[in-house]
Structure formats: C-alpha cells, structure tokens
C-alpha cells in the first residue's frame, strides 16, 4: 500500500528532471528534502545485564532530518573481543569516538596481554565526550564482559558523566519505554527473559518515536562468546504500520495481576 | 690521516690521550658504538657502576612481595631517614634503586609519571609488568643515542595488581627487564641470590620471609663489618591491605636484632663444628 503523498507532486517539465528521483515505485522530490540536517542516530538503544552475561539491543534507523538515510543500520560497534558500545547522537561523532576507543583499547590489550577491562573502554569514551562536549553530540553505552568484574554496563550521556548500571537505555526513543522498563525489569533474569524484555521495550519505543524504527538488532556477550541476531519488522511485537494487530511476547507477574500492559486492540 | 675523534683526543689531551689504553680500546667512547666483538662498552661500564654499590633484594612470597636494601651510613652528621632508596610509585607499586642514586631517582620520577598517565587514560592502576616494561624501554632509549648516556642503576619493581597478583621485576642499565620470584643486585648479589634460592620464599608468608631478608642483608654486609650500615625494607602484603608500605620501624629493629643473633649463633656453630672435627682427628691418633 502506498503512503499518501505529503509533498507536492514534482513538475513534469523536462528541464526539471533533476528535481525528480525515481526510487522503486516512488517519485522523490529532491528539492523538498532538507539536506542541511546532520545525520543522526535518533535511536533507541538499550543494554541489560542478565545472569551470565550482558545483552545489547538497538533499533536500526539513521535519519537526517526527515530522510531516513539507513533503515538497517548497525548501532552496535565492536571495541574489543568482549567489549561493545551502542551509539546515539550524531553518527559522525559517535563513529569517530568508537573508532578511537577501539584503537586505544587495542593498545591496552596488547600491553596488558589480558582482556582489557570494560571500565577502561568506558573511561576512554568519557574522556572524549567530556573534553570535547562543546563540539560533540554523542551519548554512548559501553558494555562487555571481563574476567575480573564479569558483565558490566557503563552509560556516558551527553555531558560526559560515567555511570555503571545494570540496565541502561539511551537515545530519543528511551523516553517512551522508561515506564515499561521500570515496571518489568528484574535483576538476574535468564537469557530468554532478558531477550524477550528487550525486544518488547525496544519495539514499544520504535512504535512511538519517529527517529527510531526498522529492525531490532541484538547482541549477546558472555564469557564464552558473542552472538548477534536481528528481529525483522514482521516479527516485531508491535507492528508499526498496523494498528489493529499486536501481540504481547513478554508477560510478567505484574501484567497478570492486571497492573500491566495491554497493547492490543487498537 | 686521523679521524675527527683522534684529532680531538690529541688536541684536548695531547700525546697523553693515546697513551692510556683502556679495555675498550677506542670502541668505548660513546654508547652508539658497537665493538667488533658485538659489545657496547658504555653499557657494560654502566653495569659496573652498580656492581660495587649497595645490595638490593626482592622476594615474592605466598601472599605478597618484599623489597630490601642495605645503606652504608656515609656520615654521622647525616639525618637518619634522608638517604632513601625505596620509594612508592603508586599505592600498590614500590621501587628500590642501587648504583648512581640520582639516576635512580630520575627513573622513579619517570615511573610516577607513567603510572599517573596510564591511570588517567585507562582508569585502572598500572600493572607491575606494564610499568616495568615501560621503564625498561625508557632506560634502553638512553643506550641508543649519541647525546645520552645510560642510566647507571639497577632497579627492582615490586607490584601487586588484579591481573598478575604479586610481581617482581629487575631492570638493568641496558634496559633488560625480567620477572622474578626472587632477585638481587649490587655488591652482595651472589650471596643474596644463593640465599634466596635456598630459602624458597614462595612457601613463606611475608612476615616470616621479612626476618629472612634481614638476615640475608646482614650476611651480604659481612665483608665490610667495620662500616656502619642500616637497612631499608618494605612490603606489599595483607597486613598493609596489599599496598606498598615501609616495614614498621619497631618490627624492622626487632628483626635486625634477631637476624644478627641468628647469624652470630650460626657463625659460632660453624666454628664449633670445625673444632669438633679437629678434635676427632686428634683423638684418632692418640689411641694406644
């Protein structure tokens, strides 16, 4: 089904061909797109420590103003074998910070000849965001596993504070899921519970936030390894275009007692 | 035809410049020259600077690390604690120096800077192995360039960290750095190394090994009994919360007294056993 036209139909004069772009079935009016907006990971990012590891999740929408530059982007950046970071804010800034962090942690790993601590990666990200805060627009979540402290998550928001948490959310979509997370998070979940919890909360955020959408990317870090997966749009619990259908993958005791979420039937 | 160096020698020292022939015979004027045998004489001379200096010791024990050194008292008028050899680089790392002491103190400053910048960048305290590697590289840098001379000191770095536990590293003027369970440098190093090997400090706690360290240091000093000396010892152990601290003064005094008594007893026992041997030999020959 085609979405209704929100922009005026481009002119069909031959001299105005440059103003039209054919993209699949759609005609895009190049002049109506605001190219001056910086490319942002508008985002919903989330990380949760469960019993045995830490799971990271993110949506996949990268926007520049009203244009979606990439609808399947990967906001989970590798830093080291067991350290990853989630990016939100201006894409250029966060990509550069992650690249520099990777460089320094690589040096630290070879100097120590051990798995580098997750705290060091977070500290390096913090030093960039704090010292250059007037130039940058970056908020990141650094998570991973190390042999001394086990699974850890560190949030570094815009100003450059460094906070260790067991559940961290970030990006513009995190505001829409904070109530759900506060209600349904519990410490020491199993991997399956954690995965279901994250899929549900990220899709709630994607449902309401215009800068978040696409697919859900998940990454699981444990002592034994790292595994990735993605939840494609047709498997999302809340289908973004389709109001009449929704399914609750994740249930909790609170929901059964009638306090909980009823997302269906609209 | 004379090279620039020979011309300089002749001008500065006159004919005398060529009369005095040293072991290096021309390949030992600067550290950037290799001799035909493949040695760098300046580095060897730097190592000689430490060979005749105060003994330093380190031992890794079951639950920590010990460091110690003997200091000759240069003058009666000197304030007792001012000639320091053992320093804390960070809360959990200690260093002891021997050889040219001002060179050593420069290295300790460098170690403090390295530790501070590592902590600032990575958020974790520097580990013993990383610090020892960095100081060794720094000392080695002075053995490559023409305008620098090697540091004439041996240093022992004792550390405790989450990654490696208690560690000990010995660095010499050439920049060589190895990890040890027990090491020594300075005048009494041969005696000290034998004693440390015999001791097997890995099975002793720090408290027990500290007494033995005092004994070894006194033993190393036996040849120069007339000259007054004092000990400086430090440890990293559970009693100090795994931080680097000097041994408490009263504990150190008590151990020194015990060590001296034990050494005297052992010396007496040696002498007695010698006498007994001689008596037995005499007895053999006086049976009718």
């Amino acid at each position: 089904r085609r979405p209704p036209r929100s922009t005026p139909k481009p002119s069909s004069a031959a001299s105005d061909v440059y103003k039209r772009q054919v993209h699949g079935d759609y005609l895009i009016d190049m002049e109506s797109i605001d190219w001056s907006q910086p490319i942002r990971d508008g985002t919903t990012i989330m990380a949760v420590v469960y019993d045995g590891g830490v799971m990271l999740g993110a949506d996949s929408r990268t926007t520049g103003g009203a244009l979606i530059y990439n609808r399947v982007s990967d906001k989970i950046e590798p830093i080291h074998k067991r350290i990853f970071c989630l990016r939100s804010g201006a894409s250029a800034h966060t990509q550069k910070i992650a690249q520099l962090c990777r460089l320094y942690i690589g040096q630290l790993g070879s100097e120590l000849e051990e798995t580098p601590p997750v705290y060091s990666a977070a500290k390096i990200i913090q030093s960039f965001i704090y010292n250059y805060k007037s130039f940058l627009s970056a908020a990141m979540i650094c998570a991973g596993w190390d042999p001394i402290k086990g699974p850890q998550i560190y949030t570094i928001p815009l100003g450059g504070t460094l906070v260790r948490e067991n559940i961290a959310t970030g990006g513009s979509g995190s505001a829409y899921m904070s109530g759900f997370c506060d209600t349904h998070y519990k410490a020491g979940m199993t991997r399956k519970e954690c995965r279901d919890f994250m899929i549900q909360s990220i899709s709630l955020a994607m449902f309401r936030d215009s800068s978040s959408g696409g697919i859900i990317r998940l990454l699981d870090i444990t002592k034994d390894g790292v595994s990735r997966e993605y939840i494609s749009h047709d498997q999302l619990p809340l289908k973004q275009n389709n109001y009449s259908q929704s399914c609750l993958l994740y249930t909790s005791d609170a929901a059964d007692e009638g306090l909980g979420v009823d997302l269906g039937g609209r | 035809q004379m090279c620039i160096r020979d011309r300089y020698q002749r001008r500065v020292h006159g004919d005398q410049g060529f009369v005095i022939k040293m072991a290096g015979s021309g390949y030992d004027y600067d550290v950037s020259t290799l001799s035909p045998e493949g040695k760098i004489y300046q580095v060897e001379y730097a190592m000689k600077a430490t060979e005749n200096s105060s003994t330093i010791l380190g031992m890794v024990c079951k639950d920590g690390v010990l460091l110690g050194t003997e200091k000759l008292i240069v003058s009666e008028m000197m304030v007792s604690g001012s000639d320091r050899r053992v320093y804390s680089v960070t809360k959990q790392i200690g260093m002891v120096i021997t050889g040219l002491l001002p060179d050593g103190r420069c290295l300790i400053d460098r170690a403090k800077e390295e530790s501070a910048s590592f902590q600032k960048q990575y958020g974790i305290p520097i580990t013993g192995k990383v610090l020892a590697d960095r100081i060794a590289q720094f000392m080695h840098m002075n053995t490559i360039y023409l305008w620098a001379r090697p540091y004439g000191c041996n240093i022992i770095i004792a550390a405790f960290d989450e990654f490696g536990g208690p560690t000990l590293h010995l660095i010499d003027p050439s920049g060589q750095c190895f990890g040890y369970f027990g090491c020594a440098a300075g005048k009494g190093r041969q005696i000290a190394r034998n004693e440390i090997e015999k001791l097997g400090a890995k099975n002793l706690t720090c408290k027990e090994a500290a007494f033995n360290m005092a004994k070894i240091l006194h033993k190393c000093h036996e040849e120069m009994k007339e000259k007054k000396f004092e000990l400086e010892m430090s440890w990293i152990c559970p009693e100090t919360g795994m931080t680097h601290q000097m041994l408490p003064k009263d504990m150190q005094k008590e151990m020194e007294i015990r060590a001296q008594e034990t050494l005297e007893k052992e010396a007496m026992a040696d002498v007695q056993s010698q006498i007994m041997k001689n008596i037995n030999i005499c007895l053999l020959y006086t049976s009718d």
Side-chain angles (χ1 to χ4, degrees), chain B residues 3-240:
Chain B
C3 70
I4 293 174
R5 178 184 293 126
D6 292 345
R7 246 180 271 158
Y8 174 81
Q9 287 280 320
R10 179 145 268 174
R11 167 172 269 193
V12 170
H13 303 291
D15 282 332
Q16 290 293 319
F18 292 95
V19 172
I20 306 163
K21 283 276 179 196
M22 299 203 293
S25 64
Y27 298 107
D28 58 348
Y29 293 122
D30 48 47
V31 82
S32 63
T33 312
L34 282 164
S35 77
E37 299 96 45
K39 293 198 236 182
I40 303 176
Y41 281 107
Q42 278 296 312
V43 172
E44 307 220 341
Y45 297 159
M47 301 221 237
K48 284 210 182 99
T50 68
E51 273 170 26
N52 283 326
S53 58
S54 332
T55 315
I56 56 174
L57 281 190
M59 279 196 265
V60 174
C61 309
K62 199 163 59 169
D63 55 358
V65 203
L66 284 170
L67 281 179
T69 177
E70 47 136 14
K71 302 187 293 193
L72 286 174
I73 294 177
V74 170
S75 146
E76 290 287 334
M77 300 295 283
M78 196 173 76
V79 173
S80 134
S82 81
D83 178 19
R84 280 199 64 191
R85 312 286 177 89
V86 180
Y87 289 84
S88 280
V89 170
T90 68
K91 261 198 262 181
Q92 294 187 309
I93 302 183
M95 258 169 91
V96 66
I97 53 179
T98 184
L100 297 175
L101 296 175
D103 286 7
R105 296 203 176 101
C106 174
L107 288 169
I108 287 174
D109 276 347
R110 178 75 193 198
K112 288 179 181 168
E113 280 173 25
E114 292 278 1
S115 316
S117 84
F118 186 96
Q119 167 110 36
K120 183 172 184 240
Q121 184 161 49
Y122 296 120
I124 53 168
I126 195 168
T127 65
K129 177 170 150 300
V130 168
L131 179 66
D133 272 341
R134 289 196 182 185
I135 298 298
Q137 281 176 34
F138 181 69
M139 287 173 81
H140 171 254
M141 226 170 46
N142 277 47
T143 65
I144 325 179
Y145 302 112
L146 176 64
W147 54 80
R149 67 160 175 83
Y151 283 94
C153 45
N154 270 342
I155 57 180
I156 299 182
I157 300 180
F160 179 81
D161 54 67
E162 293 176 307
F163 297 96
T167 55
L168 201 63
H169 291 266
L170 173 63
I171 311 176
D172 62 14
S174 65
Q176 236 180 24
C177 166
F178 295 124
Y180 288 90
F181 296 114
C183 57
K187 205 179 312 184
R189 64 184 175 284
Q190 291 299 350
I191 305 171
R193 281 177 191 164
N194 291 334
E195 292 293 323
I196 292 174
E197 263 189 69
K198 273 196 276 174
L199 186 62
K202 266 202 278 183
N203 300 322
L204 299 173
T205 64
C206 274
K207 257 195 171 160
E208 298 160 9
F211 161 67
N212 286 299
M213 175 171 270
K215 203 173 90 177
I216 294 170
L217 284 168
H218 276 265
K219 215 171 187 175
C220 295
H221 193 79
E222 259 177 11
E223 307 159 354
M224 300 172 292
K225 270 205 169 121
E226 325 80 48
K227 295 201 186 148
K228 280 198 192 165
F229 76 110
E230 56 178 11
L231 299 186
E232 204 172 308
M233 303 208 295
S234 73
W235 59 1
I236 304 175
C237 66
E239 278 93 340
T240 66

Side-chain angles (χ1 to χ4, degrees), chain A residues 39 60-72 210-214:
Chain A
I39 301 175
S60 66
R61 183 172 288 182
T62 305
T63 53
L67 176 65
I68 298 174
Y69 270 91
N70 188 349
R71 59 186 168 83
V72 285
S210 61
S211 324
S212 309

Side-chain angles (χ1 to χ4, degrees), chain A residues 87-166:
Chain A
R87 302 183 289 108
S88 75
S91 293
H93 299 171
T94 54
Q95 282 178 359
K96 195 66 192 171
I97 294 169
Q99 181 195 343
L100 289 164
C101 183
R102 200 167 26 241
L103 171 70
Y104 287 119
I105 290 293
Q107 289 175 354
L108 177 61
S110 56
E111 211 174 1
L112 280 178
E113 291 179 3
E114 308 263 357
T115 313
V118 183
Y119 181 67
S120 302
K123 199 90 172 89
I124 289 167
I125 295 175
Q126 184 209 15
S127 70
F128 281 111
I129 296 182
Y130 175 78
N131 287 317
Y132 298 104
K133 65 170 109 180
S134 46
F135 305 105
L136 294 176
S137 163
M140 299 177 76
I141 298 178
C142 182
W145 180 92
D146 69 43
I148 293 175
K149 291 203 181 139
Q152 298 148 73
I153 299 175
Y154 296 92
T155 333
I156 306 103
L158 283 165
T161 48
L162 176 63
V163 187
R164 182 178 174 190
E165 298 175 305
N166 281 333

Side-chain angles (χ1 to χ4, degrees), chain A residues 192-211:
Chain A
K192 186 177 182 314
E193 285 175 347
C194 181
R195 180 182 176 273
D196 292 341
F197 167 63
M198 288 181 70
I199 292 171
Q200 191 67 21
S201 30
I202 296 177
S203 57
L204 277 166
M206 284 156 58
F207 191 68
R208 284 292 183 180
D209 183 25
S210 61
S211 324

